[in-house]
Amino acid sequence: MNIVFRKSGREIKAAIQKRCEQLQQRLEKRNQVLDEFLNDKQKVRSYLLRPSENYYSHGGRSNYLLYSQNDISSEEKQQIDQLCKRIFDIEQELNRLKLMTTHLDDEQVFELDFNDLIAYGFEANLESDVE
């Protein structure tokens, strides 16, 4: 059984606007963490120089890498990688949603599946306050 939800462009735009506000708040928090990291030149340098994977020499023997106490840990490197990936994902979603609102006709009715309903930001308690 395939359930279809009929929503007007106006309703979709309202849901997208709320979704964008939520995403923008999340993005601001992540950008703040990234800015704090970027302001620490020593950590940024260490991040850029530290290899992502184990480093092996050409002879097949592992090279033991010695890190100073001030170098970034592999866990911190992974956290920063994840932070950057999430910032990119949020920005992509915001751009996609803004593109949608630009090209939606308020009066046109669309048939959305459940995944579309969620992706556009419709909530279980969302009441249509547009007439």
Side-chain angles (χ1 to χ4, degrees):
M1 183 170 154
N2 189 18
I3 299 174
V4 175
F5 302 90
R6 295 176 52 83
K7 299 290 182 183
S8 71
R10 183 177 290 116
E11 290 173 307
I12 295 171
K13 285 180 181 180
I16 286 176
Q17 180 181 359
K18 288 182 181 183
R19 176 81 176 133
C20 285
E21 289 169 5
Q22 294 168 345
L23 288 170
Q24 194 62 45
Q25 290 173 355
R26 291 168 48 198
L27 182 61
E28 287 172 12
K29 289 177 187 176
R30 284 168 175 81
N31 278 333
Q32 186 177 19
V33 173
L34 182 59
D35 287 342
E36 289 171 13
F37 168 72
L38 291 173
N39 287 327
D40 187 339
K41 287 184 178 184
Q42 180 65 32
K43 278 197 174 188
V44 171
R45 183 183 190 287
S46 179
Y47 173 84
L48 293 172
L49 296 178
R50 185 181 182 102
S52 296
E53 299 173 12
N54 291 333
Y55 183 78
Y56 297 101
S57 66
H58 292 292
R61 296 183 326 185
S62 66
N63 249 350
Y64 292 102
L65 301 175
L66 300 175
Y67 297 105
S68 77
Q69 200 172 21
N70 296 330
D71 281 343
I72 195 168
S73 69
S74 59
E75 292 83 9
E76 287 177 298
K77 184 167 178 57
Q78 290 173 351
Q79 288 172 348
I80 294 165
D81 289 345
Q82 184 63 31
L83 174 69
C84 293
K85 180 187 179 316
R86 193 60 195 128
I87 287 172
F88 178 79
D89 291 345
I90 291 171
E91 288 176 345
Q92 288 299 301
E93 187 172 356
L94 282 167
N95 289 334
R96 182 182 64 80
L97 292 171
K98 288 176 184 174
L99 180 66
M100 288 287 299
T101 58
T102 301
H103 297 283
L104 280 178
D105 178 12
D106 286 348
E107 305 308 317
Q108 187 174 353
V109 175
F110 299 88
E111 293 184 351
L112 307 177
D113 64 20
F114 185 71
N115 290 331
D116 290 335
L117 206 65
I118 293 170
Y120 297 140
F122 283 95
E123 299 174 358
N125 62 352
L126 182 65
E127 295 181 21
S128 179
D129 47 12
V130 251
E131 297 173 21

